[in-house]
Amino acid sequence: MPPVIEAHGLTKRYGSLTAVDAVDFTIDAGECYGFLGPNGAGKTSTVKMIHCSSPITAGDLRVFDLDVREQPRSIKQRIGVCQQEDTLDPDFSVRKNLTVFGRYFGIPARQAGERSRELLEFIGLWERRDARIRELSGGLKRRLAIARALVNEPDLLILDEPTTGLDPQSRHQVWDRVRTLRRQGKTILLTTHYMDEAQTLCDRLVIMDHGRILVEGPPADLVRTRVGREVVEVWGFPPALVAHVREQGWSFEADTHRLWIYTDSGEDVFEAIARRFPSEGCTVRMAGLEDLFLKLTGRELRE
Amino acid sequence: MSVADAVALVRNVSPRSLRVWERNRDVYFVTWKTNLFPPLAEPILYLMAFGAGVGALVKQVQYRGEMVGYTAFIAPGLLATQVMFQAFFETTYNTFVRMHYQRTFDAIITTPLSLEDVMAGELLWGATKGAIGTALMMLAISAFGLLHYPHALLIVPFSLLGGLFFAGLGLCFTGLVPQIDSFNFPTFLFTRWAQNLANALPLTHVANVIRELGFGRVPRDLVWDLLYLLVLALPLNVFGIHLMKRRLVK
């Protein structure tokens, strides 16, 4: 079976700005694939080329083994997109938003009606089917946008930052639905700048920055191979500690106040430094995606 | 925009554009209360103002060599402005709102519709708004006995063409203006020196046809008026789509 998405040297330039810089990736059927990266990394630009809303500048991009330049309609017929911004129709009710969207895919009215009901039940909005969009909270709107992206029973679901701006409860509600879809075997492409979201939802992911893919793989593997098993985090430490860490050849990151030492044996490192270099605090914890992310993209503030 | 661009653009328009027309129609029915009133009320206000006000001073005007009643002369002009305003407003303000504030187009182009489909749907809907507004206004004007049937019935299909023209013009503006406040009307048209220019402008042609039909006759110069509108409406519509595409496809 050919991959669902195959990109080679995929490039997007806006004037002199290169938003996506010759990236390669392959997404297989049935996996939840993540694009993780800070704002402006090129995630949304990549996604827009995949759903044929933005022409590719260079390279090659095939979706369902079809060229995005040649068969955008056939590709779009089989994908569902939940965009970052709210694009729901404010003049329509909750249910009408789904049926009108179904019409764009050529779904007969009756079938669209049945499908809307299933989807509204799935996201827990059937009771509010006649509500206006402006009466919905941000979390409900996002769930409705996801439901709308499913109206054509897509073979590929694209979720562009599906939980950005949502409160914690709403985020978990969204995750819950995404997990269910994943269990059902749906191929999902997800962009996010939340580590926990990528870690909990993605089978495989790439970390993007400045239009480039920095690493690719299953999140747990990436953390283990690139960061190590554990992190010793020290704050309020004497400058001598940094020199010592360098001497030992340990992998580390530091800012003005905190120091992170990446290691496979956190306890040993902790023992070795805790007494010798008195600090305000020192702790050992499991390494996570956030450590990998910050290690790769640096700690300077963006935007 | 080259001819090849224009051809490629037109080839990207499919019957799916009707889905956008349907979407706009559905919104029109949801918000019908605010849509229905103005085209019905406007002519009554105007005709009363012109009839009782200006009409008291100007009883008759000379039109194409004959004398006609002032209100009978004004009424078809009201219809022509209705065609223009409805279609032009639709593809300027309303299209801008859908594009910029509601991001409706962003959502639709992720479905099998092309951007060209979406814009063609907008243009068709703009033309339809012109026809709906005209038909509603005709109801009100007919109550004054100022339209002669059955000729006047042809005003409705004709207003689709006039509407298409102004929808295309509107879309060109929407493809260019930096923000929604930029839609303003060229007031210089109301000064005297521009009278000759006005005769060359499209609304004059729309008004000519509507006036003749409203008087219950076959419009003189009908072929020229139709040709003028047809020949200009098509490139204007295509150019409008082109500008919107340039604006939206990044």
Side-chain angles (χ1 to χ4, degrees):
Chain A
M1 201 159 75
V4 175
I5 304 177
E6 212 176 350
H8 293 294
L10 182 62
T11 302
K12 181 72 200 184
R13 277 191 286 271
Y14 303 103
S16 60
L17 174 84
T18 303
V20 180
D21 194 1
V23 299
D24 300 292
F25 59 90
T26 305
I27 301 178
D28 294 316
E31 68 176 335
C32 180
Y33 195 93
F35 279 82
L36 180 63
N39 292 333
K43 307 185 298 287
T44 298
S45 292
T46 306
V47 162
K48 279 187 173 164
M49 289 189 281
I50 293 170
H51 62 69
C52 313
S53 295
S54 180
I56 70 178
T57 310
D60 207 39
L61 177 60
R62 296 182 78 77
V63 182
F64 310 122
D65 210 22
L66 304 171
D67 192 319
V68 290
R69 282 163 297 200
E70 277 153 26
Q71 285 166 286
R73 284 186 205 267
S74 312
I75 292 170
K76 292 195 287 179
Q77 183 73 37
R78 294 171 60 189
I79 61 179
V81 183
C82 172
Q83 281 152 321
Q84 222 175 95
E85 309 90 6
D86 170 20
T87 62
L88 296 166
D89 238 317
D91 295 309
F92 291 142
S93 68
V94 165
R95 178 160 51 170
K96 183 93 183 169
N97 258 280
L98 299 189
T99 52
V100 167
F101 219 68
R103 216 155 51 190
Y104 301 136
F105 289 95
I107 302 171
R110 195 172 160 170
Q111 201 183 325
E114 285 163 16
R115 183 83 186 128
S116 313
R117 181 176 182 140
E118 285 166 30
L119 288 170
L120 289 177
E121 282 167 352
F122 171 63
I123 58 162
L125 266 177
W126 176 246
E127 297 302 316
R128 305 197 59 188
R129 59 190 175 275
D130 295 320
R132 282 306 187 80
I133 298 306
R134 69 179 83 88
E135 297 162 16
L136 302 181
S137 67
L140 291 182
K141 275 189 203 167
R142 205 64 62 91
R143 266 147 72 185
L144 181 58
I146 293 175
R148 192 179 67 171
L150 292 165
V151 87
N152 57 328
E153 302 188 58
D155 296 323
L156 167 67
L157 176 66
I158 296 176
L159 303 170
D160 195 6
E161 298 196 10
T163 67
T164 300
L166 299 189
D167 61 57
Q169 280 81 6
S170 304
R171 292 183 72 202
H172 281 279
Q173 292 270 17
V174 168
W175 289 355
D176 208 39
R177 300 309 189 284
V178 176
R179 279 197 203 98
T180 308
L181 292 166
R182 202 181 120 188
R183 269 199 304 276
Q184 292 167 0
K186 183 121 355 233
T187 310
I188 301 169
L189 191 166
L190 175 115
T191 78
T192 183
H193 51 236
Y194 296 121
M195 316 298 153
D196 49 350
E197 185 161 295
Q199 191 140 26
T200 182
L201 295 178
C202 298
D203 299 308
R204 275 199 307 151
L205 56 82
V206 292
I207 295 182
M208 265 188 110
D209 198 18
H210 300 300
R212 290 215 176 86
I213 288 176
L214 304 176
V215 286
E216 201 241 27
D221 291 4
L222 286 175
V223 172
R224 205 165 47 243
T225 56
R226 302 269 174 162
V227 179
R229 224 188 303 278
E230 288 161 333
V231 179
V232 181
E233 191 172 337
V234 200
W235 57 100
F237 51 85
L241 177 59
V242 182
H244 179 72
V245 169
R246 278 218 177 87
E247 233 166 72
Q248 296 293 317
W250 291 332
S251 159
F252 78 102
E253 278 280 322
D255 66 13
T256 51
H257 189 67
R258 285 182 299 175
L259 178 79
W260 295 266
I261 305 165
Y262 307 119
T263 172
D264 279 339
S265 45
E267 288 298 325
D268 297 344
V269 171
F270 181 85
E271 287 294 318
I273 61 166
R275 290 255 171 86
R276 248 178 97 188
F277 303 94
S279 63
E280 283 170 28
C282 183
T283 178
V284 184
R285 57 174 173 77
M286 297 291 289
L289 209 47
E290 185 148 6
D291 298 300
L292 172 64
F293 185 79
L294 293 177
K295 197 177 169 191
L296 291 170
T297 63
R299 292 177 190 279
E300 81 269 26
L301 277 175
R302 298 292 174 86
E303 292 190 339
Chain B
M1 187 175 68
S2 69
V3 175
D5 288 343
V7 170
L9 196 145
V10 170
R11 288 180 58 161
N12 269 333
V13 175
S14 78
R16 286 187 195 262
S17 49
L18 291 175
R19 303 289 90 81
V20 175
W21 184 90
E22 287 171 342
R23 181 239 165 241
N24 292 341
R25 176 204 61 196
D26 290 355
V27 172
Y28 184 83
F29 283 127
V30 171
T31 54
W32 66 273
K33 279 176 212 145
T34 47
N35 296 328
L36 219 53
F37 186 67
L40 284 172
E42 251 173 56
I44 298 174
L45 288 173
Y46 276 116
L47 288 175
M48 290 208 302
F50 286 122
V54 184
L57 304 168
V58 187
K59 294 271 189 288
Q60 295 212 302
V61 291
Q62 192 169 13
Y63 171 72
R64 289 188 175 179
E66 57 184 306
M67 298 307 282
V68 294
Y70 184 67
T71 45
F73 176 79
I74 283 294
L78 291 177
L79 288 173
T81 52
Q82 182 71 8
V83 171
M84 177 179 81
F85 275 104
Q86 288 283 347
F88 190 80
F89 264 76
E90 189 60 32
T91 57
T92 49
Y93 283 95
N94 292 347
T95 297
F96 198 95
V97 167
R98 289 191 278 272
M99 167 182 76
H100 186 74
Y101 296 100
Q102 299 182 183
R103 296 190 171 274
T104 310
F105 306 149
D106 289 355
I108 302 177
I109 58 169
T110 69
T111 74
L113 277 78
S114 64
L115 185 65
E116 287 88 338
D117 286 334
V118 178
M119 289 308 134
E122 290 286 298
L123 289 164
L124 283 177
W125 176 247
T128 308
K129 275 291 285 285
I132 295 173
T134 306
L136 287 171
M137 196 178 242
M138 281 170 69
L139 288 178
I141 290 178
S142 300
F144 290 82
L146 294 171
L147 292 174
H148 296 265
Y149 292 95
H151 277 72
L153 284 175
L154 289 172
I155 293 174
V156 178
F158 171 73
S159 62
L160 271 175
L161 172 62
L164 199 62
F165 178 92
F166 289 108
L169 191 66
L171 199 66
C172 289
F173 282 106
T174 305
L176 292 170
V177 296
Q179 68 228 0
I180 198 163
D181 304 326
S182 313
F183 296 122
N184 273 313
F185 283 97
T187 45
F188 71 88
L189 294 183
F190 301 113
T191 62
R192 198 165 264 289
W193 65 266
Q195 295 268 309
N196 289 332
L197 176 64
N199 285 330
L201 288 175
L203 189 61
T204 311
H205 297 268
V206 176
N208 284 346
V209 175
I210 291 181
R211 187 165 285 126
E212 291 291 312
L213 289 171
F215 288 164
R217 356 186 241 229
V218 177
R220 199 165 39 141
D221 302 331
L222 176 69
V223 177
W224 293 112
D225 290 325
L226 288 180
L227 214 60
Y228 177 101
L229 290 169
L230 271 172
V231 164
L232 285 182
L234 188 67
L236 210 50
N237 276 257
V238 172
F239 193 56
I241 296 179
H242 166 75
L243 289 173
M244 286 302 278
K245 203 177 162 190
R246 200 183 63 175
R247 175 168 201 152
L248 286 168
V249 177
K250 291 272 155 53

